[in-house]
Structure formats: structure tokens, C-alpha cells
Amino acid sequence: MTGNIETGSIITGKVTGIQPYGAFVAIDENTQGLVHISEITHGYVKDINDHLKVGDEVKVKVLSVDEEAGKIGLSIKATEEAPAQPSRPRKPRRRQAAAIIPEGDGQQGFNTLKEKLQDWIDQSQREDLIKK
């Protein structure tokens, strides 16, 4: 089926069918592969028909060849250079300053828990407080 088709090669093919999930491309008279919708072009593709139509000649790169299943994965966007991202200055992130609490303002933090722990243990062992 795919004796002369190798992964990574770039081939010209003809679009033979379009489905919501991708486009079928004939590589030769006996062989066709699928260009998944995510491999049509750089960026988001909502409708494949906006980019391709049956009969279009396209340059595709072979992504995968599965001899047993008889499937060939193709990509159009792999043959095109990715568009340059517009460079915009990044805004520095502002960090929230930690609140500084002076000692002795009634804020005990974990020390309060440490002191209370023994009281709670003692209370849990008192017979008069245990529910029967």
C-alpha cells in the first residue's frame, strides 16, 4: 500500500473528500491519507470548508504511516512556517505584599493552638464530660 511513502516526507496531493474532522488527500492513484482538522493550518479551524475544497492541490507532510490499519496521517500546517507571534511588552506582575503583624498585638497564631491542645486533651478525658 505505502511502499514509497515515508514518515517525514513532503508530497503534493489532491483533496478528495472533506468531513467535519478532516480532509482526505489522494497521494497517488491507490493511496490516500487524512489531514486532521488540527493539521489544516496554524490557529483554530472552525470549518474546514473555509480553507479547503475538493479538488484542491495541497502540499502535505506525512506524519504517520500505519500499514496494518491502512491509515496515513498527513499535515498541511507542517509544510508552512508558523506565523510570527506579535511581540508585546509584558506587564510585570504585581505581588500582594504580606501583612506584617507586630508581635504583642493579640495575634498568637500557632502558639495559641499549642497552649490549648493540652487543655483539650484533658477535657476529653474527664469522666463528667464524656457522653454515656
Side-chain angles (χ1 to χ4, degrees):
M1 170 187 121
T2 60
N4 60 345
I5 298 171
E6 296 180 16
T7 302
S9 58
I10 295 177
I11 305 168
T12 301
K14 186 177 273 193
V15 178
T16 59
I18 295 178
Q19 295 295 323
Y21 52 85
F24 290 94
V25 176
I27 297 169
D28 59 30
E29 299 83 35
N30 303 321
T31 311
Q32 68 177 355
L34 175 70
V35 178
H36 187 267
I37 190 169
S38 64
E39 295 294 330
I40 299 288
T41 188
H42 296 279
Y44 179 72
V45 176
K46 183 175 183 177
D47 185 3
I48 297 173
N49 294 299
D50 294 340
H51 300 272
L52 297 172
K53 62 181 183 291
V54 174
D56 284 352
E57 282 205 5
V58 291
K59 191 172 10 171
V60 293
K61 181 174 184 176
V62 180
L63 298 179
S64 63
V65 178
D66 185 348
E67 291 276 351
E68 292 178 19
K71 296 181 178 181
I72 301 173
L74 304 172
S75 173
I76 296 172
K77 79 176 181 182
T79 64
E80 302 167 347
E81 189 172 323
Q85 295 293 328
S87 62
R88 59 179 191 202
R90 291 187 178 250
K91 294 181 181 178
R93 289 188 178 182
R94 293 187 178 184
R95 293 183 140 180
Q96 182 83 19
I100 300 173
I101 302 170
E103 289 186 33
D105 280 355
Q107 297 284 339
Q108 294 292 322
F110 288 108
N111 289 336
T112 304
L113 291 175
K114 183 178 178 184
E115 294 165 3
K116 288 286 192 181
L117 183 59
Q118 190 58 47
D119 290 340
W120 294 333
I121 292 171
D122 293 342
Q123 285 176 1
S124 71
Q125 294 173 347
R126 285 182 42 191
E127 290 294 325
D128 61 324
L129 297 176
I130 297 176
K131 295 181 183 177
K132 292 184 181 178

